[in-house]
């Protein structure tokens, strides 16, 4: 057959296969790059959603701390924290809408949909509610967000993001415990006594922070571990069970007026919360 084909035709036959191969590989490369880009976008949306949950949690905690400080007579910027809380709700709603198509667990999708509806309704009717009512409702929603966020770890298909989400979860546990210490300590300072009802959750929060910190420092990259180590070195996190009880006793025994002592304790609590959250933000950048 080749004998009957002219020279030009033979040359075309000889180069046709390599050209076809090049075209196939080029097309495959374009598809692979597109698939890789889609994969990276998906992982980025999951990371953004987890980060939005952390921001909402922080905003709720700061609003609660500032509310307690205002009740104690301290001068705090409640207007700012209220605006930040509203922005955090909007941020979570936007991130939830973006990520829903990336979630493969139908039960998790249902939970996100339900919470999106609740927060959306709350956001729409907030103007007709008192600030305390809004804060309480968002705080309840934030606890539901805290139950959703750990499930995102199983949605990640990238090892690096899987590690980041796992470490983010530990930082979230620390942040929740710091908030508990701040609120329980404020109650003790206001009553000038530490009852077992307060000492028990303080010690439990210490244990949670120590356990989560140990796990984080074992697995996290050096740069992130250094951020948490700095918070510990600055005395912002407990290193032994009972540290928080001793911190509260020190404030009570300091002899300051209750309103002054309470305002300082709550301001320090907010500083701790923001410091811990900065580690979470760095993890998911």
């Amino acid at each position: 057959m080749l004998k009957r084909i002219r020279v030009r035709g033979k040359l075309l036959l000889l180069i046709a296969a390599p050209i076809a191969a090049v075209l196939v590989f080029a097309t495959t490369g374009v598809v692979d790059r597109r698939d890789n880009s889609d994969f990276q976008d998906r992982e980025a949306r999951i990371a953004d959603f987890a980060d939005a949950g952390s921001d909402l949690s922080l905003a709720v905690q700061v609003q609660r701390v500032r509310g307690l400080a205002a009740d104690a007579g301290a001068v705090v910027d409640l207007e700012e924290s209220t605006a930040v809380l509203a922005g955090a709700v909007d941020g979570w709603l936007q991130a939830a809408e973006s990520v829903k198509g990336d979630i493969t667990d139908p039960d998790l999708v249902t939970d996100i949909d339900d919470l999106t509806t609740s927060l959306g309704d709350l956001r729409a009717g907030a103007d007709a509610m008192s600030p305390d009512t809004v804060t309480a409702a968002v705080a309840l929603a934030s606890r539901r967000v805290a139950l959703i966020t750990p499930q995102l770890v199983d949605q990640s298909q990238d090892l690096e993001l899987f590690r980041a989400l796992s470490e983010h979860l530990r930082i979230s546990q620390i942040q929740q415990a710091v908030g508990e210490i701040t609120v329980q300590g404020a109650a003790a300072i206001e009553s000038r006594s530490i009852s077992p009802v307060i000492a028990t959750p303080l010690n439990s929060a210490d244990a949670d922070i120590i356990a989560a910190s140990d796990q984080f420092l074992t697995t996290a990259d050096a740069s992130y571990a250094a951020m948490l180590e700095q918070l510990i070195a600055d005395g912002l996190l407990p290193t032994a069970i009972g540290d928080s009880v001793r911190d509260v006793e020190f404030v009570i025994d300091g002899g300051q007026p209750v309103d002054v002592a309470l305002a300082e304790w709550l301001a320090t609590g907010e500083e701790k919360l923001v410091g811990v959250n900065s580690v979470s933000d760095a993890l998911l950048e």
Side-chain angles (χ1 to χ4, degrees), residues 10-272:
K10 292 178 180 178
L11 289 174
L12 289 174
L13 272 177
L14 289 173
I15 66 173
I19 290 175
V22 169
L23 288 174
V24 169
F25 284 126
T27 303
T28 303
V30 170
V31 172
D32 286 346
R33 286 194 294 273
R34 186 177 62 202
D35 289 346
N36 186 55
S37 177
D38 291 344
F39 175 79
Q40 291 177 339
D41 288 345
R42 175 187 182 275
E43 299 298 281
R45 286 190 292 269
I46 292 175
D48 288 344
F49 185 50
D51 196 33
S54 179
D55 289 344
L56 178 58
S57 175
L58 176 65
V60 167
Q61 289 174 313
V62 169
Q63 180 75 349
R64 186 180 184 189
V65 167
R66 289 193 184 182
L68 291 172
D71 291 343
V75 178
V76 293
D77 194 343
L78 276 175
E79 185 175 340
E80 180 205 31
S81 58
T82 300
V84 170
L85 180 58
V89 170
D90 288 343
W92 190 89
L93 288 171
Q94 291 170 7
E97 186 63 30
S98 296
V99 83
K100 278 195 302 184
D102 303 313
I103 303 299
T104 58
D105 183 345
D107 292 335
L108 181 54
V109 171
T110 299
D111 290 343
I112 293 172
D113 281 339
D114 289 347
L115 187 51
T116 297
T117 300
S118 298
L119 278 174
D121 291 345
L122 177 62
R123 191 77 179 89
D127 291 341
M129 305 177 190
S130 71
D132 288 345
T133 300
V134 172
T135 299
V138 175
L140 179 61
S142 179
R143 286 195 285 274
R144 292 175 62 190
V145 170
L147 296 176
I148 287 174
T149 301
Q151 300 177 64
L152 296 177
V153 176
D154 295 331
Q155 296 299 308
S156 172
Q157 298 174 12
D158 177 76
L159 180 58
E160 184 177 348
L161 179 59
F162 179 86
R163 285 186 58 196
L165 288 172
S166 298
E167 290 159 4
H168 169 269
L169 179 58
R170 295 184 184 107
I171 293 299
S172 296
Q173 292 167 343
I174 294 172
Q175 184 177 311
Q176 290 296 326
V178 168
E180 181 71 9
I181 289 170
T182 302
V183 172
Q184 294 293 340
I189 292 167
E190 190 170 17
S191 64
R192 287 201 171 278
S193 66
I194 303 180
S195 67
V197 174
I198 292 177
T200 298
L202 285 176
N203 288 333
S204 179
D206 283 351
D208 289 343
I209 290 173
I210 292 166
S213 296
D214 287 345
Q215 291 173 348
F216 183 84
L217 293 175
T218 300
T219 61
D221 289 344
S223 58
Y224 304 129
M227 295 176 70
L228 186 64
E229 286 173 338
Q230 188 61 55
L231 293 175
I232 295 171
D234 290 342
L236 298 180
L237 297 177
T239 56
I241 296 174
D243 278 357
S244 294
V245 169
R246 286 186 285 273
D247 288 344
V248 174
E249 288 175 339
F250 180 80
V251 173
I252 292 174
D253 295 340
Q256 288 182 313
V258 171
D259 57 342
V260 175
L262 193 54
E264 290 183 359
W265 172 264
L266 292 168
T268 301
E270 182 174 338
E271 179 187 356
K272 293 176 181 179

